[in-house]
Amino acid sequence: MRESFTAGATRALARAGWRAKGRGAARIEPTDLLAALADEAESRAATILAGHGVEPAGLIEALGLAAIDPDEPEPAEDTDPLPQSPDLRVVVGEAALAARAYDRGRAVGTEHLLVALLGPGPLADLVAGLGLDPAAVRDEVMTVDTPETGPIAIGADEPAPLLADPHEAGDLARILDAAANRAREGLRVAEDYARFVLDDPTLTKRLKDVRHRLAAALGGLDPDLLLAGRDTLGDVGTHIMTPSEQHRAGIRAVLLANFKRTAEALRTLEEYSKLLDPWLAGRFEVLRYDVYTIEKMTMTAVAARRGIGDARLYVLVGGLPTLGDLTWVVGEALEGGAQAIQLREKGLPDRALLERARAVRKLTAESGAVFLLNDRPDLARIVGADGVHLGQDDLPVREARRVVGPNALIGASTHAPDQLEAALLAGAHYLGVGPVFSSLTKEFDAFAGLDYVRHAAASTALPWFALGGITLENLDEALAAGARRVAVSAAVVHADRPRHAAASFRARLEGDGSDA
């Protein structure tokens, strides 16, 4: 749906674009928006920041951006606006969810943009260093004032009245009670899978958050009347079973069935609560869409475990003089224990790249290794690669999916926490995390470093590979920071004996502490 913004939020987004242009950027980043919110002295976001002791000048300085003269006029309407970066699009989407948590028709304000910007990540860490508690800001924004009750947390509503007709009210209470129970139960089953099977903190947190928001929304219904309408013994549905309900093909089937169960229950809650309170129905609608998103993220994580499996050593190969050199190095790496090969070639004509990709596909298929082609979903599909790997400037994951099909793996390189979050939401099957160290094969303007490795280790159980300048000499540093999988290039490709180099990496990654 197209979001609507308050006048202050619209000005802040325009000023963020103006700031990005002023520093010569190609896209508007979250830092531009945070600085723009600080510029908006009369906005609710600026008021909140000031109330927590954060001065605009200090914040803008901490962001490494230039201050703006407060007497400078508003930027004129931009006839050629810069695009928002993927990270900023995620922020705007999160801000919309924050606004709709209160009212499905509520415009996105500067306060909602501020809450989204201060989600887990480097900006939250930065403002925390200035003395601001991001959680306190969220609590303040996600609280509303009513003339009758004063400040209340969103969701702590007075129970909505049921219908005046006692028979219809009893029927409605029975439907809503059953749907509420199904939604709660389904969410708990999905959360247990994310927690105990995937060991994924991000998915577990998201499911727990939806479960708590569901409980808050259900607080808008009268619990006494819902319980009074419950008649489990008299429910004809408890005695009607289909064969499929009694059998599950596996633990994945249990997960999928319960996501569907939850979404269906939320739809029932949404439709029947329209008879009571359209706003309450809107909250169930938002929850349903959130469950769709989490279902996609969770099932992507399941598919990733099946596609990448336990692969720990991922070798990036490219730039070799001849096809013979390429096949020799790939063969050596596979013999040494490489479990995934990415072909990364820059500047080759398509026909030459196609020839090389087919040769690598043959070698990896024979050894049972995963084969990814860098940048080119079209050629990946032609040669039957297992998938494609995308950088931040390549096709978006969604568009690449349309080319490679529903079952191919898609990997995404990420260099910061917000990019990691964006890749998870987009449906990437695995991630590159780095650059950790300087590289002999690729130049980087900045290094994410070991702190980003630690962040990835604490944030997701989706398969991810530490990358960028990793060698046998610094491997222990990456492992100590939480990496369990690595992507290497020069350390294997340019080694005198690539097979032995790959075997040494594999032995260290498997944890026997020896070099082959």
Side-chain angles (χ1 to χ4, degrees), residues 142-473:
M142 303 304 284
T143 300
V144 297
D145 288 301
T146 66
E148 297 82 10
T149 63
I152 59 170
I154 291 175
D157 317 285
E158 287 296 318
L162 287 177
L163 302 182
D165 184 325
H167 295 292
E168 193 170 56
D171 294 339
L172 184 59
R174 193 176 180 195
I175 291 171
L176 292 172
D177 178 60
N181 290 335
R182 288 198 302 272
R184 281 190 291 251
E185 293 159 3
L187 283 171
R188 175 61 79 176
V189 172
E191 184 182 331
D192 284 347
Y193 188 101
R195 179 179 176 185
F196 298 116
V197 178
L198 296 177
D199 295 317
D200 194 301
T202 295
L203 289 173
T204 302
K205 181 178 182 298
R206 283 179 176 272
L207 283 161
K208 184 175 183 179
D209 176 66
V210 169
R211 189 163 50 80
H212 287 180
R213 286 165 53 209
L214 172 63
L218 292 172
L221 301 171
D222 187 331
D224 293 331
L225 286 175
L226 293 186
L227 284 173
R230 185 178 301 174
D231 183 12
T232 304
L233 294 177
D235 183 356
V236 297
T238 61
H239 307 294
I240 301 173
M241 299 290 179
T242 63
S244 62
E245 289 181 273
Q246 301 304 310
H247 301 283
R248 293 285 186 258
I251 192 169
R252 177 179 179 273
V254 172
L255 173 68
L256 188 58
N258 277 275
F259 268 122
K260 302 306 182 189
R261 174 188 179 93
T262 301
E264 291 164 359
L266 287 169
R267 184 68 188 212
T268 295
L269 287 166
E270 175 190 342
E271 290 297 326
Y272 282 101
S273 63
K274 289 175 182 176
L275 298 170
L276 306 173
D277 184 346
W279 175 73
L280 185 61
R283 295 178 67 184
F284 290 127
E285 179 188 25
V286 170
L287 286 167
R288 179 165 56 85
Y289 285 126
D290 288 350
V291 167
Y292 291 155
T293 299
I294 298 172
E295 178 186 5
K296 175 185 176 180
M297 294 174 67
T298 305
M299 301 315 295
T300 297
V302 173
R305 286 165 62 102
R306 298 165 68 192
I308 290 292
D310 295 326
R312 294 192 175 188
L313 180 59
Y314 181 125
V315 178
L316 298 86
V317 183
L320 295 166
T322 69
L323 177 61
D325 292 323
L326 173 68
T327 55
W328 179 77
V329 168
V330 170
E332 283 282 293
L334 292 170
E335 287 291 333
Q339 298 150 296
I341 299 289
Q342 181 195 136
L343 178 61
R344 183 174 66 190
E345 297 282 9
K346 300 292 184 181
L348 278 184
D350 282 1
R351 289 194 179 188
L353 177 55
L354 189 63
E355 181 184 24
R356 292 191 174 206
R358 282 178 168 149
V360 177
R361 169 71 287 183
K362 182 175 184 296
L363 291 170
T364 52
E366 290 171 349
S367 69
V370 177
F371 172 44
L372 292 309
L373 187 60
N374 190 56
D375 292 353
R376 296 295 299 270
D378 53 343
L379 297 187
R381 181 166 184 171
I382 289 171
V383 304
D386 295 298
V388 64
H389 188 84
L390 305 170
Q392 288 295 313
D393 296 322
D394 298 328
L395 279 178
V397 171
R398 178 183 177 184
E399 302 307 321
R401 172 63 63 207
R402 298 174 66 179
V403 178
V404 297
N407 299 317
L409 294 170
I410 296 182
S413 292
T414 67
H415 315 307
D418 48 357
Q419 293 177 0
L420 184 148
E421 177 74 7
L424 293 176
L425 289 170
H429 288 104
Y430 74 92
L431 308 172
V433 170
V436 183
F437 306 106
S438 61
S439 170
L440 296 176
T441 58
K442 190 172 182 181
E443 294 183 1
F444 298 100
D445 295 330
F447 296 93
L450 293 170
D451 284 343
Y452 184 39
V453 173
R454 295 184 188 97
H455 173 84
S459 299
T460 182
L462 193 77
W464 58 272
F465 295 82
L467 58 82
I470 293 178
T471 65
L472 287 168
E473 288 70 31

